[in-house]
Every structure is written in C-alpha cells, then in structure tokens.
Amino acid sequence: MPSEDAGGSLVAISDLHVGYAENRALVEALRPSSPRDWLIVAGDVGDTAADVEWALGLLAERFDTVVWAPGNHELWTPQGDPVTLRGVARYQHLVRRCRELGVLTPEDPYPVWRGPGGPVLVAPLFLLYDYSWRPAGFDTREAALAEAYRTGIVCTDEFLLHPDPYPSRHEWCAARVAETARRLAERDPALPTVLVNHWPLVRESTRVLRYPIFAQWCGTEATADWHRRFGATAVVYGHLHIPRTTWHDGVRFEEVSVGYPREWRRRGVPPGRVRQILPAPDGVPPTAW
Ligand SMILES: [Fe+2]
Ligand SMILES: [Fe+2]
C-alpha cells in the first residue's frame, strides 16, 4: 500500500467567519501549495447557509479533498437567513450541501490520508458541548448558566443555536458523543488518527480564555481522554479564536482559528494561513504516549 510517495500536505484552518468582507478576502486568497493538499475546515465557516456553501464550494474546487466539521455558527438559525431550518434539520441540510460539493463531513466514512506522514485516519467530529466545563463552585448546569447571565458573558448560541428535536443542547451533545464514540471504537486500530472537532476536546485548552465562565459553551468532560483512547497523532480544533499549538499526554493539539478581523489584526502575523498537520512540521517530535 503506497503511503509516503503521494506528496502534498494535510493542512487545517477554522473560524473563517466569511460574513466579514476581510475574512471573505482571506478565503478567496487561500490556495493549496500542492495539488495533492487536503484541507481540514474545523467549523465556524459562516453564519448563513449560503456563506457556508460559498466558502466550502470555493475551497473544494482548489484542494484535492476538503474535510469539514461544523461549528456553532453553522448551526445558528440567524434572522434573515432564507434557510430557516433549526438544529438537526439544519445540520443535515448542510451535510447534504457538502455532499453535492464533494466535501467530507462527520456523517461520511472517515477518510485515510495516505500522503506524507500517513496513512492516518482523518476523523471530522461533531460533538457540541454540554456545560460540564463549569466554573469552580458552580455544581449544576443551572447555577453556572445563572452566573454567566449575572456577569453578562453569555454565548449567542443560547439564542440562535436551537437543539430541535432534542430538548436541549446538552442532550444533543450526549447523543453525538455516544454515536461518535461507537464509530471511533470500530475504526482500524492499526491507523493513528487526526481528530477534528470545532470545540476543544480537553478542558485544559480553555484555561487561556479571557472569560473562563465561557468554557461551558466550549466542550465536554466526556472527551477528556479521547486523544489517547482513539489513537490521535494530532487533534485539530478552533472555536476559541486563540490559535496555538499545545501538547497533552504527548499528543499535538492545534487550535487553527482565523477569528474575527479585530482579533487577527492584533496578532502581527499574516492572517488566513493554514496550519500544517501532516507531515508533522520540522522539530515536532513523534507522538510520545
Ligand atoms: Fe469562531
Ligand atoms: Fe465557534
């Protein structure tokens, strides 16, 4: 089986937020460095269905393969969007559109990257959050949410991300976690994985948040050991708008967000660049666990 001779790179980006004209321009300028490059898009492409389709369609024309995992913004039902679907129906609509565009989603068989650094199973996940990353001293979901309202740090998901037909976002999350764990457990254990999820898999990633109370909308305790349990050589996520590389149990975690113009303008590095996931960039040690 050929594995190392195909060329190209597996690269990643997230939080394109193409509703902003400056971010749209970044996507228009985004091109592969090799015709064999695969692009991971880890959620928050845009707020309207049309924006999401525009960006993924453009990228699918340019990259050999595009792998998408939804973010919270794709799941919003914003006022003025002609697509008024909510919750699961909205997600399924986006999955159908991705299939028409040739973009892989969490609902497809996980593809195998066979280029440099492969073979590796690339698993786009859609896990949501369940308010289990609560601030110390707030023992229930209700208490943590009440504290968030008291302090004024409330995620817009509370108003625009509808869980229908689930009664709540945390119950939708529980269903996604259970089904995804089942699928990952059935994978070929001989292949390492790249786990892709819009929300971070480990709470430690949220320790740098400016408002720690926001962590309740960022992930779930249920995935704390998934990087070890499911053989990850790298984990790709976004959502925090704090791009960086960290290590957990010897596994590389890449936060690959672009973020809003007001955020990337401050950073002093060229915006809109993809992050190389595989082959592992020079100086990155092999997975140690
Ligand atoms: Fe975002
Ligand atoms: Fe997000």
Side-chain angles (χ1 to χ4, degrees):
M1 177 167 44
S3 60
E4 300 277 344
D5 58 353
S9 302
L10 176 65
V11 298
I13 201 162
S14 76
D15 298 80
L16 296 168
H17 292 290
V18 300
Y20 292 86
E22 288 156 284
N23 283 31
R24 212 173 171 90
L26 295 177
V27 172
E28 282 166 348
L30 194 60
R31 286 186 166 71
S33 52
S34 152
R36 294 197 174 109
D37 283 0
W38 284 25
L39 178 67
I40 292 165
V41 181
D44 279 8
V45 174
D47 294 0
T48 67
D51 274 354
V52 175
E53 287 179 39
W54 170 80
L56 291 178
L58 188 72
L59 296 169
E61 285 170 10
R62 294 176 176 174
F63 286 81
D64 179 89
T65 298
V66 173
V67 179
W68 168 78
N72 50 314
H73 281 246
E74 281 98 331
L75 300 170
W76 286 2
T77 306
Q79 280 214 334
D81 190 337
V83 178
T84 57
L85 297 168
R86 295 158 62 108
V88 172
R90 190 174 191 90
Y91 172 59
Q92 289 172 342
H93 169 80
L94 292 169
V95 167
R96 280 193 300 273
R97 295 298 295 128
C98 281
R99 287 188 172 148
E100 288 163 18
L101 297 168
V103 171
L104 298 176
T105 78
E107 305 313 305
D108 296 307
Y110 300 139
V112 177
W113 165 253
R114 297 188 185 279
V120 165
L121 192 74
V122 180
L125 313 178
F126 165 36
L127 300 175
L128 217 50
Y129 51 81
D130 64 1
Y131 307 80
S132 53
W133 292 352
R134 294 191 279 269
F138 294 88
D139 295 336
T140 65
R141 202 173 279 121
E142 293 73 21
L145 197 54
E147 178 64 4
Y149 273 93
R150 193 189 67 77
T151 57
I153 307 296
V154 177
C155 184
T156 307
D157 292 1
E158 293 297 310
F159 314 104
L160 295 181
L161 200 170
H162 309 294
D164 319 26
Y166 291 95
S168 64
R169 282 170 292 279
H170 68 264
E171 283 159 286
W172 192 5
C173 171
R176 293 295 318 183
V177 165
E179 170 62 10
T180 306
R182 184 195 65 73
R183 277 188 66 193
L184 284 171
E186 288 176 353
R187 79 196 190 283
D188 176 359
L191 289 182
T193 63
V194 170
L195 301 178
V196 179
N197 190 45
H198 179 63
W199 298 271
L201 294 186
V202 297
R203 185 169 186 179
E204 206 175 340
S205 300
T206 68
R207 303 290 182 203
V208 292
L209 282 174
R210 185 169 173 201
Y211 300 108
I213 199 163
F214 190 78
Q216 58 191 299
W217 291 282
C218 293
T220 166
E221 282 298 331
T223 58
D225 65 348
W226 280 28
H227 55 294
R228 286 179 276 117
R229 186 171 153 199
F230 298 124
T233 189
V235 172
V236 175
Y237 68 103
H239 188 59
L240 303 184
H241 294 197
I242 305 173
R244 59 186 181 139
T245 303
T246 56
W247 296 81
H248 306 272
D249 303 312
V251 179
R252 179 165 51 113
F253 280 56
E254 299 280 12
E255 206 279 15
V256 298
S257 61
V258 173
Y260 302 126
R262 66 172 182 272
E263 295 170 323
W264 56 251
R265 263 191 234 110
R266 284 200 298 257
R267 283 187 204 126
V269 294
R273 298 278 180 89
V274 296
R275 187 86 48 87
Q276 185 168 320
I277 307 302
L278 294 174
D282 287 346
V284 169
T287 302
W289 53 272

